[in-house]
Amino acid sequence: MIIQQKTALNLQPINQCVHVSFNYDVHFTRGLFQLDNPLLAQVIAAGGETTPKQVLVVIDRGFLHSQDGLLKKLLVYAQYYEDVLTLSGEPIVVPGGEAVKNDSRFIEQIHQRINASGLCRHSYVLAIGGGAVLDMAGYAATTAHRGIRLLRVPTTVLGQNDSGVGVKNGINAFGKKNFLGTFMPPYAVLNDFDFLASLDDRDWRSGIAEAVKVALIKDADFFDFIMTNADKLANRDMDIMERLIYRCSQLHLEHIAGGGDPFEMGSSRPLDFGHWAAHKLEHLTNYSLRHGEAVAIGIALDTTYSYLTGQLLKSEWQSVMSTLSKLGFILYVSALTEQLDQLDHPHCLFKGLTEFREHLGGNLTITLLERIGRGMEVHQVDLALYRDAILMLQDWEILH
């Protein structure tokens, strides 16, 4: 029964529609903090202010240890471009990986420094590190003063081609991935390809999973490029990796800008193909799986399920599986099958479907493959068929 609301003096509601435009550039460079590279200073100067702007640096500890003299380089750079920027105290050094997203103390540390240093909304938080550090620092920046300008410097493949170029920030809570977070684009993204040379093989490989993902749902030619160059990518061919990062970034940005729902107000989230299982697997393995490693398994699972539903040809399924294997990904872990028949058990993989729906709101909406290069959305799944898909992953891993 609908009860009509009584309105004082029969006044009608006032309707308002606010249009907000966000513009930010994703830059590609080398030697970002070399004195003869003015890119960072130019980005800050483009804000138009005449006085030097305060910059609070938040840096990934693991990355810092791999870069000799980085803190001194930052200090010398700031001194050289002192008419544009000034460092706001010592950089805040935080752990990398999911550990930094699982502990709210790091958010508080950044907020306390912003407050103590008197940073304003025209100041900058310069986040340097992997995707997890960027997520955490971005959440801190966008919740202080309702948003301090965020400069992202991704130092991993995953950060440069996916998480670092998007509009989302967040941390984990209640055992759930990105339970707390904001939608707020960065002021700019500065990708330095030189930083990738220091990555270990796992982190080098991990970010390639997101390129496979976006290629499978949006660009068959890009998937063909990845498939053709899988061995070169696995062997750390930098030229091929640069091309992969650029195209992957481009596809992600095109979707965010042109997909019609940049802040995910609806139930659709095609860029999270393979992620419903990936997010759950990260938690089930206590984050011993890198995000990209979990995404690769999620891609393999949803691709196999798409094949079992009759959408994909067997040859297409084999191409995806073979490419992921050539890249060096493991496509089966025991967490896939633990408690699989107990749907209400917190360690059941299928709880990830419920958590995925809750995170979006509305109906369950996951992306599957109609064919390579084209995704399709479904709102219900056959769990028995998904169990079969998991067994196929197990068999694949044994045979390959």
Side-chain angles (χ1 to χ4, degrees):
M1 180 176 66
I2 299 176
I3 301 175
Q4 187 168 351
Q5 179 182 351
K6 292 184 179 179
T7 305
L9 303 177
N10 294 317
L11 298 177
Q12 297 301 307
I14 300 171
N15 178 264
Q16 180 61 276
C17 180
V18 178
H19 296 278
V20 181
S21 295
F22 293 98
N23 295 282
Y24 64 98
D25 292 327
V26 177
H27 299 272
F28 301 87
T29 190
R30 290 184 179 277
L32 178 63
F33 301 122
Q34 298 295 331
L35 297 185
D36 59 355
N37 186 343
L39 177 61
L40 174 59
Q42 288 173 343
V43 167
I44 294 174
E49 290 89 351
T50 57
T51 57
K53 307 313 298 180
Q54 286 199 79
V55 178
L56 172 60
V57 177
V58 179
I59 189 165
D60 186 320
R61 180 181 296 132
F63 175 70
L64 180 61
H65 289 167
S66 72
Q67 304 290 315
D68 290 338
L70 179 60
L71 293 183
K72 185 174 182 180
K73 283 183 181 179
L74 284 167
L75 179 60
V76 171
Y77 189 95
Q79 291 171 341
Y80 189 79
Y81 293 100
E82 62 182 0
D83 58 327
V84 176
L85 65 103
T86 181
L87 296 185
S88 179
E90 294 290 324
I92 296 176
V93 181
V94 298
E98 290 299 314
V100 80
K101 295 178 63 171
N102 289 332
D103 192 336
S104 62
R105 288 179 298 174
F106 300 114
I107 298 288
E108 295 168 6
Q109 182 183 9
I110 296 173
H111 283 165
Q112 288 170 359
R113 177 69 76 80
I114 289 171
N115 177 58
S117 300
L119 269 66
C120 69
R121 298 190 72 208
H122 287 197
S123 304
Y124 295 83
V125 170
L126 177 65
I128 307 171
V133 170
L134 301 186
D135 280 352
M136 183 281 298
Y139 180 52
T142 59
T143 51
H145 294 308
R146 297 193 180 98
I148 289 177
R149 294 172 177 177
L150 174 66
L151 292 169
R152 291 189 186 137
V153 179
T155 60
T156 63
V157 175
L158 183 64
Q160 292 192 4
N161 71 5
D162 179 18
S163 60
V165 304
V167 299
K168 294 189 279 191
N169 312 280
I171 59 173
N172 307 329
F174 306 107
K176 297 176 181 178
K177 182 89 168 177
N178 297 323
F179 185 84
L180 301 175
T182 60
F183 287 99
M184 179 60 72
Y187 188 81
V189 182
L190 309 170
N191 283 333
D192 185 338
F193 289 134
D194 285 346
F195 291 155
L196 304 183
S198 65
L199 295 177
D200 63 24
D201 287 344
R202 286 185 71 186
D203 285 324
W204 171 277
R205 181 187 309 114
S206 183
I208 302 174
E210 295 288 359
V212 174
K213 171 208 71 179
V214 75
L216 286 173
I217 62 174
K218 287 187 173 291
D219 189 341
D221 289 339
F222 186 36
F223 178 76
D224 186 65
F225 169 82
I226 298 171
M227 182 173 62
T228 302
N229 292 285
D231 289 332
K232 290 182 179 180
L233 287 165
N235 288 304
R236 301 179 69 111
D237 185 308
M238 185 62 80
D239 289 338
I240 298 297
M241 179 59 86
E242 289 178 12
R243 292 168 62 186
L244 177 139
I245 288 172
Y246 190 86
R247 181 57 179 156
C248 186
S249 302
Q250 190 175 44
L251 287 169
H252 278 91
L253 290 167
E254 285 175 357
H255 175 82
I256 293 167
D261 191 17
F263 292 169
E264 296 175 0
M265 301 298 290
S267 298
S268 175
R269 198 163 63 179
L271 288 182
D272 274 354
F273 170 58
H275 281 55
W276 75 264
H279 287 169
K280 190 63 178 176
L281 284 172
E282 286 181 86
H283 177 61
L284 291 178
T285 61
N286 197 28
Y287 297 96
S288 62
L289 279 177
R290 301 282 204 277
H291 177 67
E293 293 168 338
V295 168
I297 295 172
I299 289 171
L301 179 59
D302 283 350
T303 299
T304 303
Y305 181 82
S306 299
Y307 163 58
L308 291 178
T309 60
Q311 297 297 323
L312 281 185
L313 297 174
K314 185 176 183 179
S315 59
E316 293 177 304
W317 171 72
Q318 290 175 326
S319 293
V320 175
M321 299 294 286
S322 295
T323 298
L324 291 170
S325 293
K326 281 185 180 180
L327 290 168
F329 289 110
I330 294 172
L331 302 182
Y332 172 82
V333 292
S334 61
L336 283 166
T337 49
E338 291 175 5
Q339 312 297 336
L340 201 57
D341 293 323
Q342 301 182 48
L343 299 183
D344 292 330
H345 197 286
H347 291 170
C348 176
L349 178 72
F350 294 140
K351 287 286 286 183
L353 288 166
T354 302
E355 293 168 5
F356 194 71
R357 181 195 61 77
E358 289 175 352
H359 195 60
L360 273 76
N363 297 325
L364 173 68
T365 305
I366 64 172
T367 300
L368 298 174
L369 293 182
E370 185 174 329
R371 62 176 183 267
I372 289 179
R374 182 165 182 170
M376 58 177 287
E377 293 183 347
V378 301
H379 302 289
Q380 57 185 12
V381 296
D382 184 336
L383 296 186
L385 210 56
Y386 256 121
R387 289 187 180 93
D388 291 342
I390 291 171
L391 294 177
M392 287 180 67
L393 294 191
Q394 189 174 22
D395 290 342
W396 178 276
E397 198 63 34
I398 292 171
L399 295 172
H400 298 81

